[in-house]
Amino acid sequence: MDLDAARSGIAEVDRRLVELLNKRARLSLNVGAAKRQTLREQHVDGEPEVYVPGQEKRVFEKVRGLNHGPLSGDSICSIYREIMSASISLQSDVTVGYLGPAGTFSHQAAMKRFGDSLAYVPYARIEDVIVATAKEEITYGLVPIENSTFGTVVQTLDTFVLQPAVKIRAEVFLPVTQSLLSRYQLPAIRKVYSHPQAFGQSQRWLDQHLPNVPRVEVASTARAAELAATENYAAAIASEACASLYRLDVVAKDVTLAADNTTRFFVLGQSSDGPTGDDKTLLMFTVDHREPGALCGALNVFAKHRINQTAINSRPSRQRQWHYMFFVEITGHAQDTGVAQALEEIKAYCLDLVVLGSYPHQSY
């Protein structure tokens, strides 16, 4: 095939693609209309959920299976991410809150999950994102929950204690590479800004290369980049994306401790999605600390029902001194028969029990 014929063939494919994309968009609008009709018939107020992570997961799995190259499966999913983002924006005005400003890893994770077609709202603190979601000031919120190198993001768990009404709808994994950004070269740097998690992930590099330089914690890596862009002899630990956003040089690339450094995020909303057959559930509860074996008894319920526990954390309950709230992530959905039975039994050991949400298990 010569060049002109190839270009002519591409033009025809583009024409058909545009027709098919708009046909798909019209069908998406029909889906939204059918959801609203169902709510009216059930006499339920409010708007239907437009982001359904279980359905999204099925679409991605299906298009990967249909793909035979030369495009990679990841490329096909990236294309479909934007197709579904555009479809969601047609059905409803969706706003997604994240820990800002622009350029944070939370921003990148939100874009990875929701695409370019939705409206994004930056917040100064993780707590602000969760509170805004609880008050329905935004449609969905996205917050970090843990890092594979530095562990749990305690600000998120602490806010769940105060705002238990929000529900987890999905999880998102984002590979994280931290860099040292500045307007100055390494010998001239006198102060480094970053988020506590980023400092933890890059501690070994900083100890080796900037051992005596003060480290100042701020609310986000992008905020650190903002400050480094305006202050003399300052630097930031942040993503390379922040270098272009805030006109900084990349002084050192990949200063993280581990090559596979990854952060997991939660998508929050007013409700969780239904079971998919491959889900996880996050529980929050406290026990009578005066009762010997109370926590052990609660956890043994899961073993009895052969339910795996994938994570356990504890945080101060804010009820009284030395009293703790436990966060346990388990496999399965709260509506699954075995999980529902376990949740009923565990109440015998718990003073409080909150299901923070069930969500599809995501691959990295």
Side-chain angles (χ1 to χ4, degrees):
M1 182 179 292
D2 62 24
L3 180 59
D4 288 341
R7 286 176 172 168
S8 178
I10 288 173
E12 175 59 20
V13 170
D14 286 343
R15 183 189 66 79
R16 291 162 56 195
L17 276 175
V18 170
E19 288 181 356
L20 289 171
L21 287 172
N22 280 300
K23 181 178 181 179
R24 190 187 192 283
R26 285 189 288 271
L27 290 170
S28 177
L29 287 171
N30 291 342
V31 168
K35 289 179 180 178
R36 291 184 179 89
Q37 179 62 30
T38 299
L39 290 181
R40 285 195 293 270
E41 291 172 355
Q42 297 173 346
H43 305 289
V44 176
D45 294 330
E47 286 292 310
E49 291 286 358
V50 292
Y51 170 61
V52 184
Q55 174 63 16
E56 176 188 85
K57 184 180 179 181
R58 288 188 288 271
V59 169
F60 282 142
E61 290 173 347
K62 182 176 181 179
V63 298
R64 278 184 181 274
L66 292 172
N67 180 44
H68 300 294
L71 291 175
S72 69
D74 287 345
S75 294
I76 290 292
C77 286
S78 294
I79 292 167
Y80 264 80
R81 157 60 53 230
E82 295 306 325
I83 291 172
M84 289 190 286
S85 177
S87 295
I88 289 173
S89 70
L90 285 175
Q91 290 187 39
S92 178
D93 293 329
V94 175
T95 52
V96 180
Y98 67 93
L99 175 63
T104 60
F105 290 109
S106 293
H107 188 199
Q108 294 175 42
M111 295 287 288
K112 177 183 179 181
R113 175 56 63 210
F114 290 101
D116 275 329
S117 296
L118 306 188
Y120 292 93
V121 183
Y123 287 88
R125 303 180 305 163
I126 290 171
E127 301 93 306
D128 297 335
V129 178
I130 298 176
V131 170
T133 306
K135 293 182 177 180
E136 299 187 55
E137 295 172 358
I138 50 178
T139 315
Y140 304 111
L142 183 139
V143 294
I145 184 63
E146 65 176 332
N147 176 263
S148 60
T149 302
F150 200 58
T152 304
V153 181
V154 296
Q155 296 94 330
T156 298
L157 295 185
D158 287 344
T159 310
F160 282 160
V161 173
L162 301 175
Q163 294 286 342
V166 295
K167 295 298 180 185
I168 303 165
R169 290 191 62 77
E171 61 180 357
V172 185
F173 291 90
L174 183 75
V176 170
T177 301
Q178 306 283 5
S179 296
L180 183 73
L181 312 181
S182 182
R183 294 183 292 126
Y184 301 89
Q185 292 305 302
L186 199 62
I189 293 171
R190 298 291 177 265
K191 184 188 296 183
V192 181
Y193 289 103
S194 200
H195 186 273
Q197 279 275 335
F199 276 137
Q201 296 161 31
S202 57
Q203 180 178 342
R204 187 181 303 165
W205 189 95
L206 289 169
D207 288 346
Q208 181 179 351
H209 296 278
L210 293 169
N212 300 314
V213 173
R215 302 168 196 177
V216 182
E217 295 183 356
V218 293
S220 70
T221 52
R223 176 58 180 156
E226 279 187 328
L227 292 168
T230 58
E231 290 190 18
N232 292 332
Y233 309 110
I237 298 292
S239 70
E240 285 194 44
C242 286
S244 57
L245 281 172
Y246 299 104
R247 298 182 179 181
L248 294 166
D249 296 326
V250 179
V251 180
K253 292 185 177 183
D254 194 8
V255 300
T256 45
L257 298 175
D260 59 351
N261 189 42
T262 300
T263 297
R264 181 164 71 128
F265 299 81
F266 281 153
V267 176
L268 308 177
Q270 304 305 313
S271 63
S272 292
D273 199 10
T276 68
D278 184 18
D279 302 293
K280 292 190 285 186
T281 297
L282 184 63
L283 309 173
M284 180 176 70
F285 61 85
T286 187
V287 297
D288 188 345
H289 291 35
R290 300 164 298 182
E291 184 68 28
L295 177 60
C296 182
L299 297 180
N300 280 338
V301 171
F302 300 122
K304 172 186 172 183
H305 288 271
R306 303 188 64 80
I307 297 169
N308 190 27
Q309 301 157 50
T310 57
I312 301 176
N313 289 282
S314 64
R315 295 297 298 162
S317 68
R318 311 287 180 93
Q319 296 175 6
R320 56 183 178 272
Q321 283 187 327
W322 322 123
H323 188 262
Y324 295 91
M325 195 72 73
F326 297 98
F327 295 84
V328 179
E329 186 179 60
I330 61 174
T331 56
H333 194 285
Q335 295 178 17
D336 293 343
T337 301
V339 175
Q341 290 174 350
L343 294 181
E344 191 61 33
E345 288 182 30
I346 202 176
K347 291 178 182 178
Y349 302 94
C350 298
L351 300 179
D352 301 289
L353 173 64
V354 177
V355 178
L356 288 170
S358 296
Y359 37 94
H361 174 246
Q362 291 287 343
S363 61
Y364 293 84

